[in-house]
Amino acid sequence: MNMKMKDMGIFNELSELISLRMKSVFALAHDGKWVEHKAHIDYDLWFIQSGIVTLRIDGIEHQARAGDVVFFYPGIPYMASTTGQGCRFIYVHFDFEIGNQQRILSDFPLSGIIPEQLIREETILFVKAFMQSNQLDSMPGNRLYLKACLMAVIAKIIELYGQDRYTGTFLNGRRPRTAERNLDVLQPVFSYIHSHLHKSIKMSELAQLVGISEKYFITYFKKTLGITPGQYIYQIKMNRARDYLNLKKYTIQEIASLLGYPDPFTFSKAFKKYYNVPPSKFD
């Protein structure tokens, strides 16, 4: 497994801690004379419906066509324009975070134009959900479905990047920020945790893996992922506990041992705190 796939695994392991907030979502139509100079303060997705949108970023010109999705990171200055019959697109401003790390997506080079053929299914679902939510007689639940469809679009972009099928073009080959390198630095820590879940893991052991003090390591980890190392270990153990129980292959005592708990009671208490049900009744 390459480093990129390992980095993307963070989103799977910490999916329960991901929060998505749609700030606004609207449909826009522009004539052939439209020109816009801007930099968004939030994450921004444009779903191109018709026409051609030309974007100039860092002196490089990009073109998005009907069916394409444009992904802007906060703070990226751009000039957008269209010609001919103009263009139409749906845009959505949103926040996406893990724990207290509000800009986790910005740690990966995802900002750019995702071609229609790579994201067609997810785009169609989102556009349909948007049209339904805009109907005057639409039910309140449609907004929740729209949010779910947006999450599916973002998840697909992450998946495409992890599979080396898409890399953002708006960063012009530059790594977006230092936090992606922080994730690279923490890879030995992630690997160690995953291979030592059967034992009690000390912070000093993890700090030693990256050659920094225990106190700074905890700060460094939380700044990178938005959660503490202890919270990360707890989350991974609960993920594995769920998987083991679903296999219906291990006893509660065996699962407790596999996850480094001293006895079934301690494991059951931790499990119930997380899932609000004891492992004996989890189904």
Side-chain angles (χ1 to χ4, degrees):
M1 183 181 293
N2 61 33
M3 189 66 72
K4 184 181 290 188
M5 288 299 292
K6 288 181 179 178
D7 285 349
M8 293 296 100
I10 291 295
F11 293 103
N12 290 326
E13 294 289 9
L14 303 181
S15 60
E16 287 86 352
L17 301 178
I18 289 174
S19 92
L20 171 68
R21 182 160 61 101
M22 290 192 303
K23 291 191 170 181
S24 58
V25 52
F26 291 102
L28 292 176
H30 298 288
D31 62 26
K33 297 180 181 179
W34 171 64
V35 176
E36 176 177 281
H37 296 264
K38 204 169 186 180
H40 300 290
I41 62 172
D42 309 301
Y43 291 118
D44 218 64
L45 283 174
W46 292 4
F47 296 82
I48 310 300
Q49 301 298 287
S50 67
I52 298 175
V53 176
T54 300
L55 296 158
R56 192 166 187 84
I57 298 173
D58 288 337
I60 298 176
E61 193 171 281
H62 312 266
Q63 286 192 331
R65 293 172 168 78
D68 294 345
V69 175
V70 186
F71 187 9
F72 292 98
Y73 277 175
I76 294 181
Y78 67 87
M79 182 184 79
S81 62
T82 190
T83 57
Q85 299 300 311
C87 66
R88 292 185 302 110
F89 59 85
I90 298 168
Y91 78 83
V92 54
H93 298 311
F94 66 96
D95 282 335
F96 186 98
E97 60 188 70
I98 292 180
N100 295 321
Q101 170 51 289
Q102 297 181 345
R103 294 285 162 86
I104 189 71
L105 291 177
S106 301
D107 300 339
F108 303 89
L110 304 178
S111 182
I113 299 172
I114 301 93
E116 177 191 12
Q117 64 269 22
L118 294 181
I119 202 164
R120 182 181 294 114
E121 183 178 341
E122 291 75 16
T123 298
I124 290 172
L125 284 175
F126 178 83
V127 172
K128 284 184 177 179
F130 171 75
M131 297 303 181
Q132 291 172 0
S133 69
N134 262 12
Q135 294 174 1
L136 293 177
D137 59 348
S138 65
M139 297 295 291
N142 284 341
R143 191 74 176 184
L144 181 60
Y145 180 61
L146 180 63
K147 181 177 178 179
C149 291
L150 176 61
M151 180 66 85
V153 170
I154 298 167
K156 185 63 177 181
I157 295 172
I158 291 170
E159 178 188 359
L160 291 169
Y161 174 73
Q163 294 173 344
D164 279 324
R165 296 172 62 197
Y166 165 77
T167 297
T169 53
F170 289 172
L171 296 164
N172 195 20
R174 293 180 282 108
R175 303 189 79 166
R177 285 182 6 194
T178 57
E180 187 184 4
R181 290 191 289 274
N182 289 349
L183 282 175
D184 290 347
V185 169
L186 290 175
Q187 286 303 328
V189 173
F190 300 144
S191 297
Y192 184 87
I193 290 172
H194 284 244
S195 59
H196 290 79
L197 288 177
H198 60 283
K199 57 170 286 188
S200 176
I201 300 174
K202 297 179 180 178
M203 290 299 115
S204 57
E205 295 174 325
L206 300 180
Q208 194 171 26
L209 289 172
V210 291
I212 57 180
S213 70
E214 182 177 340
K215 183 179 179 179
Y216 180 61
F217 167 72
I218 295 172
T219 302
Y220 184 93
F221 193 102
K222 187 172 182 179
K223 182 179 179 182
T224 301
L225 272 191
I227 57 176
T228 66
Q231 289 172 319
Y232 178 80
I233 293 170
Y234 179 50
Q235 180 66 55
I236 300 301
K237 287 190 175 187
M238 291 302 100
N239 290 350
R240 297 299 174 270
R242 175 194 60 211
D243 295 341
Y244 288 143
L245 286 168
N246 285 334
L247 286 173
K248 301 186 184 303
K249 181 181 174 181
Y250 302 98
T251 65
I252 292 176
Q253 184 170 351
E254 288 172 330
I255 294 174
S257 179
L258 286 168
L259 296 178
Y261 288 96
D263 53 69
F265 174 77
T266 305
F267 163 65
S268 296
K269 185 178 179 181
F271 188 93
K272 186 176 181 179
K273 181 180 179 181
Y274 186 83
Y275 288 107
N276 294 316
V277 63
S280 59
K281 296 183 178 180
F282 185 79
D283 195 354

